[in-house]
């Protein structure tokens, strides 16, 4: 096959604006240029709506929700400046990643109105307001709150559906991240009650003409497949949904690390590699 150019529809979390990442935003962009990315979407996290959703590492840094809102405004200003500074070297799309907990969807719409990002990535990191992907302990708490793993998947995909329906984000981020601490996720995703919800969500993605993030971050953690897992990827490809790589890098060390693997996987299921851009 012809080797496509690397891109990232969900990229560029930096230590400058994300407390669980590394490097400055400019260092991230220079790494994308060095790796010859055709374009990159920078998608730092939206700020929390209240102190109840401030993460432990942010608290340890002495930050509260007001601080993080100011940091987000600084991110948008900085990213726009870097977008212009490096326009001849790389096309940068200035975006952000949403949340899906109590109050976050209306807050995301306010941020969109205030900052006019080029696009947003719609993601779900909480179930019943518990940040299930933060740690094994948080995952277990979310499982208990939902009455078991099957219940967690059901609530997650229902919340994801509502996020997609409400925000219609240009990109849907790491659609099956709910599997993160589940060693039996392959069989669980295919359980009829779960699979039905996945297909329902994919149909809405197709109806709204959104992009799916083929998220490579699990490979950087030593996992065996990206988000999307194989059956979801196959189904999305059959439905003709636009699928685009996202490195979800949290530091320069993973930029470009698994892109060739992504090309191979996507080519095998017939995903076109004339990557759809998240804006324009």
């Amino acid at each position: 096959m012809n080797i496509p150019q690397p891109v990232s529809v969900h990229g560029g979390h930096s230590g400058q604006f994300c407390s669980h990442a590394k490097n400055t935003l400019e260092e991230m962009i220079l790494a994308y240029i060095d790796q010859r990315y055709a374009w990159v979407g920078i998608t730092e996290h939206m700020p929390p709506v209240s102190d109840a959703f401030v993460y432990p590492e942010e608290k340890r840094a002495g930050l509260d929700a007001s601080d993080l809102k100011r940091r987000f405004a600084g991110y948008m200003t900085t990213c726009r400046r870097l977008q212009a500074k490096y326009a001849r070297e790389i096309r940068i799309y200035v975006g952000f990643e949403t949340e899906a907990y109590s109050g976050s969807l209306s807050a995301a719409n306010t941020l969109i109105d205030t900052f006019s990002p080029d696009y947003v990535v719609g993601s779900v990191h909480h179930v019943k307001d518990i940040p299930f992907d933060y740690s094994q302990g948080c995952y277990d708490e979310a499982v208990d709150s939902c009455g078991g793993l099957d219940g967690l998947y059901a609530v997650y995909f229902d919340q994801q559906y509502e996020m997609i329906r409400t925000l219609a984000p240009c990109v849907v981020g790491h659609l099956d991240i709910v599997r993160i601490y589940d060693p039996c996720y392959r069989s669980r995703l295919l359980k009829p009650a779960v699979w039905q919800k996945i297909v329902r969500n994919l149909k809405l993605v197709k109806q709204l003409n959104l992009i799916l993030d083929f998220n490579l971050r699990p490979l950087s953690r030593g996992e065996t497949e990206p988000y999307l897992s194989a059956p979801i990827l196959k189904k999305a490809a059959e439905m003709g949904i636009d699928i685009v790589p996202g490195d979800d890098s949290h530091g320069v060390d993973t930029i470009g690390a698994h892109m060739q693997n992504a090309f191979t996987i996507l080519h095998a299921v017939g995903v076109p590699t004339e990557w759809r851009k998240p804006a324009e």
Side-chain angles (χ1 to χ4, degrees):
M1 66 172 176
N2 292 327
I3 303 298
Q5 282 189 284
V7 301
S8 182
V9 78
H10 183 173
H13 295 295
S14 70
Q16 186 176 358
F17 298 108
C18 174
S19 297
H20 59 270
K22 299 179 295 183
N23 303 111
T24 67
L25 185 54
E26 188 161 16
E27 287 169 342
M28 298 288 288
I29 288 171
L30 289 171
Y32 284 115
I33 294 170
D34 185 62
Q35 292 291 326
R36 300 184 182 278
Y37 275 56
W39 55 264
V40 62
I42 306 296
T43 54
E44 291 286 13
H45 295 278
M46 67 177 283
V49 300
S50 70
D51 289 343
F53 295 100
V54 175
Y55 282 104
E57 71 268 14
E58 295 166 340
K59 293 177 181 177
R60 287 192 293 270
L63 301 172
D64 61 17
S66 295
D67 297 323
L68 294 169
K69 288 173 184 175
R70 286 190 290 271
R71 185 172 77 173
F72 181 82
Y75 154 67
M76 293 298 296
T77 299
T78 300
C79 203
R80 287 295 186 196
R81 176 177 62 80
L82 295 173
Q83 182 185 48
K85 180 177 179 179
Y86 292 105
R88 292 186 178 182
E89 287 82 13
I90 189 171
R91 181 67 173 98
I92 297 170
Y93 297 96
V94 179
F96 70 87
E97 185 176 6
T98 74
E99 300 290 355
Y101 52 67
S102 297
S104 67
L105 299 183
S106 60
N109 275 323
T110 298
L111 291 172
I112 292 167
D113 291 341
T114 301
F115 294 101
S116 300
D118 296 330
Y119 77 110
V120 297
V121 173
S123 295
V124 180
H125 300 100
H126 295 70
V127 162
K128 296 190 174 182
D129 290 347
I130 300 167
F132 66 85
D133 68 333
Y134 183 76
S135 66
Q136 179 72 62
C138 288
Y139 193 79
D140 293 343
E141 182 184 352
V143 170
D144 290 343
S145 77
C146 296
L149 275 161
D150 289 4
L152 174 69
Y153 279 57
V155 175
Y156 170 83
F157 285 113
D158 283 347
Q159 286 188 204
Q160 183 180 74
Y161 182 85
E162 287 305 309
M163 179 276 293
I164 297 169
R165 187 180 63 82
T166 302
L167 292 180
C170 180
V171 177
V172 177
H174 42 57
L175 184 133
D176 54 341
I177 194 175
V178 69
R179 74 183 211 214
I180 186 168
Y181 292 109
D182 179 12
C184 300
Y185 75 85
R186 287 182 174 86
S187 59
R188 200 175 318 280
L189 288 170
L190 294 177
K191 287 188 173 185
V194 174
W195 185 247
Q196 181 181 16
K197 292 178 184 292
I198 292 170
V199 173
R200 174 202 62 191
N201 290 12
L202 291 177
K203 287 180 178 177
L204 184 59
V205 169
K206 177 63 176 178
Q207 176 188 332
L208 296 175
N209 193 31
L210 310 180
I211 298 170
L212 281 182
D213 163 35
F214 189 62
N215 191 291
L216 306 180
R217 185 158 170 76
L219 301 181
S220 296
R221 295 195 297 258
E223 299 175 41
T224 58
E225 61 178 347
Y227 311 122
L228 314 155
S229 60
I232 300 176
L233 173 62
K234 182 174 182 291
K235 182 65 175 178
E238 290 172 351
M239 294 171 67
I241 294 172
D242 289 313
I243 302 167
V244 179
D247 56 36
D248 202 356
S249 286
H250 285 59
V252 299
D253 54 338
T254 58
I255 291 174
H258 304 285
M259 197 59 65
Q260 296 304 317
N261 192 3
F263 296 161
T264 300
I265 296 169
L266 294 173
H267 178 75
V269 295
V271 172
T273 55
E274 295 78 29
W275 311 118
R276 178 179 159 192
K277 298 178 177 67
E280 294 180 354

